[in-house]
Amino acid sequence: MYDQHRDTLEQARAAIAGRGHWSAYPESPSPRVHGEGAAERGKAAFESYLGKPFPLEQAGGTGAWIGAERSPYGIDLGVTYPEPIAEELIAAASAALPAWRDAGPEARALVCAEIIQRLHRRSFEIAHAVQHTSGQPFVMAFQAGGPHAQDRALEAVAYGLEAMTSSAASARWEKPAKGEPLVMTKRFTVVPRGVAVVIGCSTFPTWNAYPALFASLVTGNPVIVKPHPRAILPLAITVLVAREVLAEAGFDPALVSLAAEEGQGLAATLATHPRVRIVDFTGSTEFGDWLERNARQALVHTEKAGVNAVVVDSTDSWRGMLANLAFSLSLYSGQMCTAPQNIFVPAAGVETDEGHKSFEEVAEGLAAAVGRLLGDDARAVELTGAIVNPDVLARVEGAGELGEVVLESRAVRHPSFPDAVVRTPAIVRVHASADDVYGREHFGPVSFLIPTGSTGESLDLLRRTVKVRGALTASVYSTSPRVLDDAERAALDAGVNLSCNLTGGVYVNQSAAFSDYHGTGANPAATASLTDPGYVAGRFHVVQSRHPVREVLDELRS
C-alpha cells in the first residue's frame, strides 16, 4: 500500500533542497481535478457528522461526550467528541511508542505519506469542516485547510526523513593499531523524544497543526492532538484518518489521539505533564509565553502573534501596489497571523509611476482600493469570510477610538448565511509616536497608516516593533536599490521574512510550502520556522551501540 509514496517522498526531499515551485496536491477544487461528484460527496460527509457523536473510538476517556462548536456562519454544529482523561491518553501513547520507533525512519515516512494522501482524498469534507469552524470562505478553506496544509505536512515529513537519514544507520569502524587493527561495528538508532502534544488554533486548524503533527510522528513520537474548542471537527477527521492508516499498517492507533474539550485548561494540563516531551502551539502571545515559561520538561515550539509591517517608499505600480495591499488587508478579514497591520509611509508622500502622491493620497487610494474590492457584498464574503470570535468583532468595532479613521469598517450581509458576522477592514491613521497603539497586535481587520519623517524612520520603526513584539511578515515598496538593501538589512536585524514590491498575484500573507519559510524563530512571534531543519531536529535523538568485530577477536584468540 505504501510503495507508491516512495517517489513522492523523494520529490519532496528534492523540493526542500531546491526551494522552487512544487506541490504534491492540486489546490483547485475543480471537478476536472478531483472528479465529478467529489464536492457533493465531501459536503455530504461533513453533514453526516452534524448533530451526533463523532465516530472516534479511542482509549483514555471518561465515557462522556462533549462539544460546543458553533459555525461563525451561524450554524450550531452539534458534533460531540469523547471526553479524554489526560493521564490515560499519555499512557496509551507511551505504550505505542516502542514499535513505532523500531519501524525505522523510512517506514514511518511512508505511513505518514499514506495518511496525508487519504486526507487529500477527503479535502472537500475537511474544507466544509474548516469553513464552519474557522469562518474562512469556502475556497480558502478548501485550499488552506486541504492541499496547502497537506503540502506543509509532507514538507515536515521530508525534513524529518532528511534529518534522520543524513548519516549512516550502521558502520564498520577500523582503527590502525600495533598488530591487528581495532575493528568494531556500530549501530545508530533514531530515538524519539517522547509523547508530543499539538495545541491547535481556531483560525487555521489544519494548516497550523499539520507541520507539528507530522514532524513529530515521522520522527517516532506519538501525538496527542488538542484542538481549539471552537475548531475541533477538522482535526477530529484528521485523527480519525491517521488512526485508520496506522491500524491498517499494523501499528497501535494510540500513536495519534484526540483531546477535545469544551472549556479551557486541558492544554495546560497536557503541556506540563512530566511524560510529555514535545509541545507545539499556535495562538495567543499570552498563552504561548506561558507555555515557554512553564512546560520546562518539553521542547516547546510556539507560533504567536506579531505586528506585521509594510514600508512604502516608492513604487513603479501605484495601482498594483494598492490592489495588492487591499487584498492582503481584506483576505479572511485580516484573521491571519501573516496579515499586514502597520503601514509606514513618509509624511511627505511617495513617488509613483503616476507622479508624486501625498500621504493623504496614499490613504485615500488605499481606502478606495479596499472599497472597490469589497463593494459587492456577494463577492466580498467570498474574500472576507466571517468573524471567528467576539474579541475580533470588538476590536474592529472599537478601531475608531484608536486614531483618525481613514476607512470605516462596515457590516456585510452574507447571501447564503444570514446569521454570519461579516465585517470589512478598518484603516486608522495614528501618529508615529503612538507606539502604544500600533506597537501591539490588533488581530483581525484593523490596520494602521503611520506617517513618518522618512523611509529611514519607517525602517527603524519596523525594526524596533518587530524586535519587541515580533512579526511573521514584513513588506517594502521601493524603486530604490539602496532602500531595498536597507530594508533587507532591517529585516535581518529584526529576524523577519521580507517581501519586496508585491503588485501582482503573490501576497505578503500567503506562503508556499517547499519554498517559503513561515516564521523564522528569530523574533518574539515564533520560536521556530515552518519548516526548516531546526523544526524537526529536536524531536529525536540518536543512540548508538557498538561491538568488537567477532572474527577479529577469534583470530586474536587463536
Side-chain angles (χ1 to χ4, degrees):
M1 178 168 62
Y2 306 107
D3 286 345
Q4 60 181 308
H5 302 305
R6 294 182 189 276
D7 288 344
T8 301
L9 287 170
E10 287 308 307
Q11 291 179 66
R13 293 174 76 173
I16 62 174
R19 312 307 297 180
H21 171 71
W22 184 74
S23 173
Y25 309 104
E27 67 179 3
S28 171
S30 168
R32 291 191 299 273
V33 176
H34 298 275
E36 295 294 336
E40 292 77 10
R41 289 191 296 273
K43 184 178 181 182
F46 161 73
E47 291 174 343
S48 72
Y49 297 125
L50 304 184
K52 61 185 71 168
F54 188 79
L56 177 68
E57 296 181 7
Q58 64 179 28
T62 64
W65 291 79
I66 59 173
E69 292 162 291
R70 178 176 173 80
S71 168
Y73 291 96
I75 301 170
D76 280 318
L77 301 186
V79 188
T80 55
Y81 308 91
E83 184 177 44
I85 298 173
E87 194 70 43
E88 293 185 10
L89 288 184
I90 293 168
S94 299
L97 185 152
W100 185 238
R101 174 199 64 207
D102 295 345
E106 186 182 53
R108 292 196 297 267
L110 291 168
V111 173
C112 286
E114 174 67 15
I115 295 170
I116 300 166
Q117 179 62 34
R118 293 201 195 180
L119 290 170
H120 180 64
R121 293 179 197 146
R122 299 172 77 155
S123 290
F124 283 100
E125 173 187 339
I126 292 171
H128 285 285
V130 170
Q131 178 187 20
H132 285 289
T133 52
S134 72
Q136 293 177 30
F138 178 76
V139 173
M140 182 180 186
F142 178 88
Q143 293 179 335
H148 294 177
Q150 294 148 15
D151 273 337
R152 284 293 186 191
L154 184 62
E155 180 184 48
V157 172
Y159 269 106
L161 185 58
E162 191 75 13
M164 291 184 293
T165 58
S166 61
S167 59
S170 62
R172 179 184 173 95
W173 183 86
E174 188 168 329
K175 179 181 179 180
K178 291 182 179 180
E180 296 296 327
L182 301 176
V183 184
M184 303 190 79
T185 58
K186 301 184 181 185
R187 179 183 298 174
F188 310 99
T189 302
V190 170
V191 175
R193 193 178 186 98
V195 177
V197 172
V198 176
I199 304 171
C201 65
S202 62
T203 49
F204 288 86
T206 57
W207 196 96
N208 278 111
Y210 280 11
L213 166 59
F214 286 95
S216 284
L217 196 61
V218 75
T219 51
N221 305 280
V223 184
I224 298 171
V225 179
K226 211 302 289 184
H228 191 284
R230 285 195 294 265
I232 302 172
L233 185 56
L235 290 178
I237 296 170
T238 301
V239 169
L240 185 69
V241 171
R243 290 172 65 88
E244 172 188 273
V245 173
L246 287 163
E248 288 180 22
F251 296 102
D252 189 338
L255 286 164
V256 179
S257 57
L258 182 73
E261 67 173 339
E262 287 183 3
Q264 295 180 336
L266 182 57
T269 299
L270 287 168
T272 55
H273 192 283
R275 294 175 71 182
V276 167
R277 303 307 308 279
I278 303 171
V279 175
D280 288 277
F281 166 76
T282 301
S284 70
T285 297
E286 291 73 20
F287 190 57
D289 289 345
W290 186 91
L291 288 171
E292 291 168 17
R293 292 192 305 268
N294 291 278
R296 305 301 295 272
Q297 85 293 345
L299 170 71
V300 178
H301 286 315
T302 61
E303 183 194 313
K304 299 173 287 189
V307 286
N308 302 318
V310 179
V311 170
V312 180
D313 169 73
S314 55
T315 181
D316 59 5
S317 179
W318 167 248
R319 296 176 188 273
M321 179 187 75
L322 293 178
N324 192 279
L325 285 173
F327 186 94
S328 295
L329 296 176
S330 304
L331 184 61
Y332 186 32
S333 301
Q335 298 170 116
M336 305 176 69
C337 56
T338 51
Q341 175 179 298
N342 299 334
I343 305 173
F344 298 104
V345 183
V350 300
E351 298 300 325
T352 80
D353 58 321
E354 298 187 17
H356 181 82
K357 301 292 184 181
S358 68
F359 180 90
E360 288 70 23
E361 287 175 306
V362 174
E364 291 168 2
L366 183 57
V370 173
R372 286 191 298 272
L373 182 65
L374 303 180
D376 177 77
D377 285 0
R379 189 178 74 162
V381 298
E382 298 306 321
L383 183 61
T384 63
I387 298 298
V388 70
N389 69 54
D391 292 338
V392 173
L393 181 62
R395 275 192 289 273
V396 70
E397 291 184 342
E401 301 172 8
L402 301 172
E404 176 188 340
V405 175
V406 172
L407 178 65
E408 188 172 358
S409 175
R410 68 181 182 88
V412 175
R413 182 174 177 81
H414 200 295
S416 301
F417 301 100
D419 293 331
V421 178
V422 183
R423 295 291 186 274
T424 61
I427 303 175
V428 180
R429 173 178 176 167
V430 297
H431 195 272
S433 63
D435 56 357
D436 60 323
V437 176
Y438 67 81
R440 54 189 170 90
E441 190 201 21
H442 300 259
F443 185 76
V446 179
S447 59
F448 301 99
L449 270 173
I450 304 156
T452 64
S454 66
T455 295
E457 183 185 4
S458 296
L459 292 174
D460 286 341
L461 290 173
L462 179 152
R463 183 186 287 107
R464 187 189 316 162
T465 54
V466 174
K467 282 185 174 181
V468 173
R469 294 291 296 183
L472 290 168
T473 64
S475 180
V476 62
Y477 289 90
S478 181
T479 59
S480 165
R482 180 187 60 79
V483 170
L484 293 175
D485 185 62
D486 289 345
E488 187 155 348
R489 290 180 180 277
L492 292 173
D493 290 342
V496 63
N497 295 324
L498 178 69
S499 298
C500 302
N501 293 326
L502 299 182
T503 57
V506 176
Y507 303 95
V508 69
N509 42 349
Q510 297 174 320
S511 65
F514 303 104
S515 185
D516 293 324
Y517 293 107
H518 174 74
T520 65
N523 71 66
T527 59
S529 172
L530 305 180
T531 305
D532 65 9
Y535 187 68
V536 300
R539 298 174 191 267
F540 67 90
H541 305 287
V542 176
V543 176
Q544 76 168 34
S545 61
R546 56 184 184 173
H547 306 272
V549 175
R550 185 170 298 280
E551 61 265 24
V552 175
L553 292 178
D554 291 344
E555 184 178 338
L556 289 174
R557 290 192 187 98
S558 66

